[in-house]
Amino acid sequence: QVQLVESGGGLVQAGGSLRLSCAASRIAFNIYTMGWNRQAPGKQRELVATITSGGSTNYADSVKGRFTISRDNAKNTVYLQMNSLKPEDTAVYTCNARQIGTSNDYWGQGTQVTVSS
């Protein structure tokens, strides 16, 4: 059974930084597009960032220049470095693994990020 386990969330003041990690197991990690999504209370889930198997990245406009997604295929782990955090970044952040062209689409349980003003 595929597992995606997020870590690194927490409470931080506005302007601070956090680094999220998502460790994948039982998956051919290097061929998957990995992504981070977030959902704030009362809002729809939002795609934050993705990184393809080849290392190409994409970001939501709201986080460009502040967040960086990266992956370590040797460790089966994807990261989200979040800098200059704002209160509006407060949400549950969830990791996603998707194999393009297939129905293989897996989700983690999420980690809470809270940014205080």
Side-chain angles (χ1 to χ4, degrees):
Q1 183 176 351
V2 174
Q3 282 191 318
L4 300 176
V5 180
E6 300 97 337
S7 61
L11 173 64
V12 64
Q13 287 189 332
S17 298
L18 282 174
R19 188 194 196 203
L20 306 183
S21 300
C22 171
S25 59
R26 303 183 184 90
I27 190 174
F29 182 82
N30 60 304
I31 67 173
Y32 277 73
T33 291
M34 302 300 297
W36 287 97
N37 300 261
R38 67 185 181 186
Q39 187 166 18
K43 294 187 177 181
Q44 288 191 331
R45 188 169 63 198
E46 174 189 21
L47 177 63
V48 175
T50 60
I51 183 166
T52 68
S53 58
S56 296
T57 58
N58 191 42
Y59 298 91
D61 288 342
S62 58
V63 307
K64 280 182 181 176
R66 300 189 297 122
F67 290 11
T68 302
I69 189 170
S70 61
R71 64 191 297 160
D72 185 337
N73 289 339
K75 296 182 178 180
N76 283 10
T77 301
V78 62
Y79 305 96
L80 186 68
Q81 178 66 45
M82 305 186 295
N83 299 327
S84 302
L85 282 162
K86 305 175 181 179
E88 52 264 43
D89 293 319
T90 295
V92 174
Y93 285 70
T94 306
C95 175
N96 168 245
R98 183 164 56 93
Q99 186 180 2
I100 304 300
T102 75
S103 60
N104 294 335
D105 188 2
Y106 305 105
W107 294 82
Q109 293 298 309
T111 185
Q112 176 70 46
V113 171
T114 303
V115 184
S116 62
S117 57

